[in-house]
Amino acid sequence: MLRPLLCLGALACCSEIVARDAIEWELCDAYSVYAPEPGELADRTRCGLLTVPRDYNDPTAGAMRITVVRVTARDTAHRRGAIILNPGGPGAPNGLEFAMTTQQSWDRHDDPLLVEAANTYDFIGFLPRGTGIVEPTALTPESEGALRCTSTRPDVPYEDPNEDRTQGNVARMHASAEFTAQTCESQPMSRYVDTEMTVRDIDAIREVLGESRISFYGVSYGTWLASWYAARYPDRIDRLVLDSAMNITQDFDVARLAQAPETQAIIDDLVIPLAISRPEVFGLGDSPDAVRATFEAMPHVLKKSVREFLEVQLAQGNVREAGFVLSMGNDIGRIASHHPEADADTLVDLAKNYYRHEAPPELGAFATFMVPNVVYPAYSLPTADTFDLGVSDSINEAVACNDTQAIRDPTYWTRKGDSYAALYRMASGGAMTHRPCMYWTRHAASRPSPGDYARIPRALILQTEHDSRTPLPGAMSTYGALPNAAMVVLPGTTGHGVIARGNACSFGKIGNYLIHDRLPEGLSECRGSAIGNERLERLVEQATRSPRSSRVR
């Protein structure tokens, strides 16, 4: 039975809001479609609701509930504690799934120390405030406590930010950004969705679990969240793993500005060389200039769709498939030019037929199933007469705008968009002009200070070399801000999230830390291929010249 929230005033009261039996644990079927099948694992997996304050600084704001999952350790005799996991976002709806599937993956892993971790830790996941009390995929698209920025008015339409940099289109981008900010701020829940409040929720979870200290594995934004928690409560953190680290020394503006240059660099350094090495498969030409010319010849409406799908593939570490996306843009553009009257459904059928029967088999095997991902965003007619940002994107905007103070100068963002659109043609750099946080009226949360971060006891930072979402230079800055951290870089590895694409070396580092509390010394490598090591060597050289030089190996 859920207990009522009773907090009579002081912050200390709000930080100890519930008794340790405040979660009524039950089977996860009603909370997540990823609940395990009946059996030994299901017997150890339970979900429940935890009541927390809406605002830890204002007890009169009332209460809300968040969903928590716990997979208890199989080996209770050697239990090492609890590890909380966060997959990133902000706004990722799979907080329950991530904890459950990570435990299952490690339980079957080749690395014996990860298997031991799967058996000796309780794995804890949760749905951050604003997500709602069930995973959106489980029951309904929204639920109690969900933040969803909606309006009965439609958004302000604008053309592709990379292709149309006219004054009129830029003005429409600013108007759309302002409309988005106003719509989100008008939602009562938006004022309570930020990292500081989520950190307090995590500490409430720790308290309810009866743990004096808790370990934390965060990915992407989860590293921002985990670092914030550890800086606020350094005496309550045990192991801290930061996988694909955001730059905690800067704000969200800097984090987003870093993505387009990195995306274009990966395309230039990895995707284009692969494409020109096999022109008979990719059909993009036999030189970098030919590939770029092929891209520029695509219809403008198609380029935006291609860019967005390219970024998805690169985040997943799929260099070859990113090249295939460029091939698809070229092929679909040609098909559309031969069938100017075709609607989106017809174009999908025509393209699938081409990839099944005429394209090189290697390309066709991928493209046949991915055609809708490119065609529908480009050629479907807009139908929305209302505005709905969705839960995940609503949380993303609220956290970004509530956590850090944005640059509130439209001219700055116009110039950034102009520059990025010209320099990073295959990345979505022109979209930088659309910055809702520029119009956010609330003051940013009070972030941990550099001194707070420096007091974090120990941490392991994991980073691929080619990460378009949280680029390596930003992760290096985080490493520099944490004097007690070790950092492991995977040279030649592409993608976002070491947990999904690491090698035996990196998984061994994770297991050795979680089980034996052994960190590698300073900055080290877990080598994959030999691609791209010149930039890594430059970064290592910079780190060697830094005050942390004695820790670099």
Side-chain angles (χ1 to χ4, degrees):
M1 173 178 225
L2 290 172
R3 294 171 179 262
L5 173 68
L6 180 61
C7 188
L8 300 179
L11 290 182
C13 170
C14 284
S15 65
E16 299 175 354
I17 56 171
V18 284
R20 290 184 179 178
D21 61 348
I23 298 179
E24 184 175 338
W25 299 105
E26 55 185 329
L27 292 174
C28 292
D29 302 62
Y31 296 88
S32 173
V33 295
Y34 299 98
E37 296 293 326
E40 186 268 342
L41 179 61
D43 291 342
R44 295 187 289 114
T45 304
R46 290 293 184 271
C47 293
L49 300 175
L50 174 64
T51 301
V52 297
R54 283 181 179 270
D55 186 343
Y56 286 85
N57 301 319
D58 180 10
T60 65
M64 57 179 289
R65 298 187 294 176
I66 58 174
T67 307
V68 184
V69 63
R70 177 174 64 182
V71 184
T72 56
R74 179 185 288 119
D75 186 354
T76 56
H78 300 93
R79 181 179 177 276
R80 297 178 182 278
I83 182 168
I84 195 162
L85 300 98
N86 182 270
N94 58 332
L96 307 185
E97 171 200 353
F98 185 62
M100 290 187 282
T101 58
T102 299
Q103 192 280 334
Q104 294 170 43
S105 173
W106 288 5
D107 196 28
R108 301 188 297 267
H109 209 277
D110 293 336
D111 188 279
L113 293 180
L114 284 187
V115 175
E116 185 174 344
N119 283 286
T120 56
Y121 279 92
D122 290 355
F123 279 63
I124 310 298
F126 71 106
L127 295 182
R129 54 176 53 218
T131 312
I133 61 171
V134 297
E135 287 186 325
T137 52
L139 299 177
T140 61
E142 54 187 318
S143 64
E144 174 195 321
L147 170 61
R148 194 161 194 154
C149 302
T150 61
S151 173
T152 56
R153 294 170 47 203
D155 193 5
V156 179
Y158 56 91
E159 300 300 322
D160 183 349
N162 268 43
E163 301 304 317
D164 187 346
R165 301 301 304 178
T166 62
Q167 185 176 357
N169 199 50
V170 167
R172 289 189 292 273
M173 277 188 268
H174 287 310
S176 172
E178 184 174 17
F179 174 73
T180 300
Q182 291 173 347
T183 301
C184 284
E185 281 201 286
S186 71
Q187 309 298 316
M189 189 67 196
S190 67
R191 70 175 59 249
Y192 307 117
V193 176
D194 63 29
T195 298
E196 178 67 20
M197 292 295 112
T198 304
V199 158
R200 302 290 291 273
D201 292 341
I202 291 168
D203 203 53
I205 293 171
R206 177 200 60 79
E207 178 71 18
V208 165
L209 294 176
E211 304 289 339
S212 60
R213 296 193 301 166
I214 196 163
S215 296
F216 205 135
Y217 193 117
V219 182
S220 191
Y221 164 75
T223 66
W224 178 275
L225 176 64
S227 300
W228 197 311
Y229 179 84
R232 284 283 187 255
Y233 304 111
D235 58 335
R236 300 176 190 178
I237 194 74
D238 190 6
R239 314 291 202 265
L240 176 63
V241 183
L242 307 178
D243 182 340
S244 304
M246 284 184 65
N247 185 349
I248 62 172
T249 71
Q250 299 292 337
D251 55 29
F252 271 87
D253 283 346
V254 172
R256 288 180 173 171
L257 284 168
Q259 292 175 341
E262 183 69 14
T263 298
Q264 187 65 56
I266 296 171
I267 294 169
D268 291 342
D269 295 343
L270 303 180
V271 178
I272 291 179
L274 177 62
I276 64 177
S277 73
R278 303 181 66 191
E280 74 284 358
V281 174
F282 292 92
L284 298 170
D286 57 4
S287 70
D289 286 344
V291 176
R292 295 186 184 101
T294 300
F295 175 79
E296 295 298 348
M298 293 178 195
H300 286 184
V301 69
L302 194 55
K303 284 184 189 176
K304 183 173 185 291
S305 178
V306 166
R307 287 189 189 98
E308 291 172 353
F309 199 35
L310 257 177
E311 290 166 354
V312 170
Q313 296 303 320
L314 292 178
Q316 295 173 354
N318 302 330
V319 173
R320 184 191 65 161
E321 289 74 9
F324 286 162
V325 173
L326 289 174
S327 301
M328 291 172 67
N330 183 38
D331 297 334
I332 293 167
R334 184 181 66 253
I335 293 169
S337 69
H338 293 158
H339 301 274
E341 303 301 322
D343 61 12
D345 291 335
T346 302
L347 282 177
V348 167
D349 292 339
L350 290 168
K352 283 185 174 182
N353 185 66
Y354 168 76
Y355 288 120
R356 287 191 183 108
H357 303 294
E358 300 180 51
E362 189 177 349
L363 169 60
F366 171 82
T368 299
F369 297 99
M370 297 299 173
V371 163
N373 298 76
V374 176
V375 170
Y376 285 126
Y379 291 100
S380 295
L381 295 175
T383 57
D385 55 3
T386 59
F387 177 79
D388 186 348
L389 196 57
V391 172
S392 292
D393 287 342
S394 298
I395 296 172
N396 195 299
E397 292 295 348
V399 171
C401 301
N402 285 331
D403 271 15
T404 60
Q405 184 69 56
I407 298 170
R408 296 186 174 180
D409 179 4
T411 301
Y412 173 87
W413 292 110
T414 297
R415 289 174 178 169
K416 277 294 181 185
D418 290 343
S419 172
Y420 273 39
L423 291 171
Y424 313 120
R425 294 295 299 148
M426 297 182 189
S428 300
M432 287 295 100
T433 299
H434 188 276
R435 295 294 291 129
C437 293
M438 176 170 48
Y439 300 99
W440 205 257
T441 61
R442 296 194 192 103
H443 294 295
S446 177
R447 293 171 60 191
S449 69
D452 294 331
Y453 284 122
R455 285 191 288 273
I456 293 176
R458 285 160 64 80
L460 174 62
I461 303 171
L462 303 164
Q463 191 73 25
T464 66
E465 182 182 357
H466 305 289
D467 185 340
S468 59
R469 298 289 174 88
T470 53
L472 176 59
M476 295 287 288
S477 294
T478 293
Y479 169 66
L482 304 178
N484 302 308
M487 182 171 180
V488 176
V489 180
L490 279 65
T493 303
T494 303
H496 186 54
V498 172
I499 195 170
R501 55 193 50 82
N503 54 27
C505 169
S506 60
F507 289 131
K509 305 283 189 188
I510 298 170
N512 212 19
Y513 178 43
L514 293 179
I515 298 302
H516 299 304
D517 196 22
R518 294 175 187 158
L519 286 173
E521 183 67 24
L523 176 63
S524 59
E525 297 179 359
C526 278
R527 189 166 297 277
S529 67
I531 297 175
N533 286 324
E534 289 184 7
R535 183 179 68 150
L536 180 59
E537 289 169 2
R538 289 197 302 271
L539 288 167
V540 170
E541 184 179 354
Q542 292 169 8
T544 304
R545 293 197 300 265
S546 77
R548 299 189 52 155
S549 60
S550 62
R551 296 179 44 70
V552 178
R553 296 289 183 270

Coordinates of all heavy atoms in Angstrom, one line a residue, residues 60 69 76-77 98 102 106 153 158 215 260 274 289 298 326 337 364 379 390 453 479:
T60 N 5.1 22.4 0.1 CA 3.7 22.7 -0.2 C 3.4 22.4 -1.6 O 2.2 22.4 -2.0 CB 3.4 24.2 0.0 OG1 4.2 25.0 -0.9 CG2 3.8 24.6 1.4
V69 N 12.4 -0.3 -10.5 CA 12.6 -1.8 -10.6 C 13.8 -2.3 -9.9 O 14.8 -1.5 -9.8 CB 12.7 -2.2 -12.1 CG1 13.9 -1.6 -12.8 CG2 12.6 -3.7 -12.3
T76 N 23.1 -14.1 -2.7 CA 22.8 -13.2 -1.5 C 23.9 -13.3 -0.5 O 24.2 -12.4 0.3 CB 21.5 -13.5 -0.9 OG1 21.5 -14.9 -0.5 CG2 20.3 -13.3 -1.8
A77 N 24.6 -14.5 -0.4 CA 25.7 -14.6 0.6 C 26.9 -13.7 0.3 O 27.6 -13.4 1.2 CB 26.1 -16.1 0.6
F98 N 16.4 -0.9 -19.2 CA 17.8 -0.9 -19.2 C 18.4 -1.6 -18.0 O 19.4 -2.4 -18.2 CB 18.3 0.6 -19.2 CG 19.8 0.8 -19.3 CD1 20.4 0.4 -20.4 CD2 20.5 1.4 -18.3 CE1 21.8 0.5 -20.5 CE2 21.9 1.5 -18.4 CZ 22.5 1.1 -19.5
T102 N 20.4 -5.1 -18.8 CA 21.8 -5.1 -18.5 C 22.1 -6.3 -17.6 O 23.1 -7.0 -17.7 CB 22.2 -3.8 -17.9 OG1 21.9 -2.7 -18.8 CG2 23.7 -3.8 -17.5
W106 N 24.8 -9.2 -18.7 CA 26.0 -9.5 -17.9 C 25.9 -10.9 -17.3 O 27.0 -11.5 -17.2 CB 26.1 -8.5 -16.8 CG 26.6 -7.1 -17.3 CD1 26.7 -6.7 -18.6 CD2 26.9 -6.0 -16.5 NE1 27.1 -5.4 -18.6 CE2 27.2 -4.9 -17.3 CE3 27.0 -5.7 -15.1 CZ2 27.6 -3.6 -16.9 CZ3 27.3 -4.5 -14.6 CH2 27.7 -3.5 -15.5
R153 N -2.8 24.7 -30.6 CA -2.3 25.5 -31.7 C -1.2 24.6 -32.4 O -0.4 23.9 -31.7 CB -1.7 26.8 -31.3 CG -2.7 27.8 -30.8 CD -2.0 29.0 -30.1 NE -0.9 29.5 -31.0 CZ 0.1 30.2 -30.6 NH1 0.3 30.4 -29.3 NH2 1.0 30.6 -31.5
Y158 N 8.7 25.6 -40.5 CA 9.9 26.2 -41.1 C 10.6 25.1 -42.0 O 10.3 23.9 -41.8 CB 10.9 26.7 -40.1 CG 11.4 25.7 -39.0 CD1 12.5 25.0 -39.2 CD2 10.7 25.6 -37.8 CE1 12.9 24.1 -38.3 CE2 11.1 24.7 -36.9 CZ 12.2 23.9 -37.1 OH 12.6 23.0 -36.2
S215 N 26.0 2.2 -5.9 CA 26.8 2.3 -7.1 C 26.0 2.9 -8.2 O 24.7 2.8 -8.2 CB 27.5 1.0 -7.5 OG 28.4 0.5 -6.5
A260 N 27.4 18.4 -34.0 CA 27.5 18.5 -35.5 C 28.9 18.4 -36.0 O 29.2 17.6 -37.0 CB 26.8 19.7 -36.0
L274 N 35.2 4.7 -46.6 CA 34.6 3.4 -46.9 C 33.8 3.3 -48.2 O 33.9 2.4 -49.0 CB 33.7 2.9 -45.7 CG 33.0 1.6 -45.8 CD1 34.0 0.4 -46.0 CD2 32.1 1.3 -44.7
D289 N 35.1 14.2 -53.1 CA 34.4 15.2 -53.7 C 33.1 14.7 -54.5 O 32.1 15.3 -54.5 CB 35.2 16.0 -54.7 CG 36.2 16.9 -54.0 OD1 36.0 17.2 -52.9 OD2 37.2 17.3 -54.7
M298 N 21.0 15.7 -53.9 CA 19.7 15.2 -53.4 C 18.7 16.3 -53.3 O 19.0 17.5 -53.0 CB 19.9 14.5 -52.0 CG 20.8 13.3 -52.0 SD 20.9 12.6 -50.4 CE 22.3 11.5 -50.6
L326 N 23.5 7.2 -47.1 CA 23.8 8.1 -48.2 C 23.4 7.5 -49.5 O 22.8 8.2 -50.4 CB 25.3 8.4 -48.1 CG 25.8 9.3 -47.0 CD1 27.3 9.4 -47.0 CD2 25.1 10.7 -47.1
S337 N 12.5 11.5 -58.7 CA 12.6 12.3 -59.9 C 11.9 11.7 -61.1 O 11.4 12.3 -62.0 CB 14.0 12.7 -60.2 OG 14.7 11.6 -60.7
G364 N 21.0 -3.9 -50.7 CA 19.6 -4.2 -50.7 C 19.1 -4.8 -49.4 O 18.0 -4.6 -48.9
Y379 N 8.7 12.8 -47.4 CA 7.7 12.9 -48.4 C 6.2 12.9 -47.9 O 5.3 13.1 -48.6 CB 7.8 11.9 -49.5 CG 9.1 12.1 -50.3 CD1 10.2 11.4 -50.1 CD2 9.1 13.1 -51.3 CE1 11.4 11.6 -50.9 CE2 10.2 13.3 -52.1 CZ 11.3 12.6 -51.9 OH 12.5 12.8 -52.6
G390 N 5.7 15.2 -27.4 CA 6.0 13.9 -26.9 C 6.7 13.9 -25.5 O 7.3 14.9 -25.2
Y453 N 32.7 18.6 -7.7 CA 33.1 17.5 -8.6 C 34.4 16.9 -8.2 O 34.6 15.7 -8.3 CB 33.1 17.9 -10.1 CG 31.7 18.1 -10.7 CD1 31.3 19.3 -11.2 CD2 30.8 17.0 -10.7 CE1 30.0 19.4 -11.8 CE2 29.6 17.1 -11.3 CZ 29.2 18.4 -11.8 OH 27.9 18.5 -12.4
Y479 N 37.1 14.1 -17.5 CA 38.2 13.4 -16.9 C 39.1 14.4 -16.1 O 39.5 14.1 -15.0 CB 39.0 12.6 -17.9 CG 40.3 12.1 -17.4 CD1 40.4 11.1 -16.5 CD2 41.5 12.5 -18.0 CE1 41.6 10.5 -16.1 CE2 42.7 12.0 -17.6 CZ 42.8 11.0 -16.6 OH 44.0 10.5 -16.2

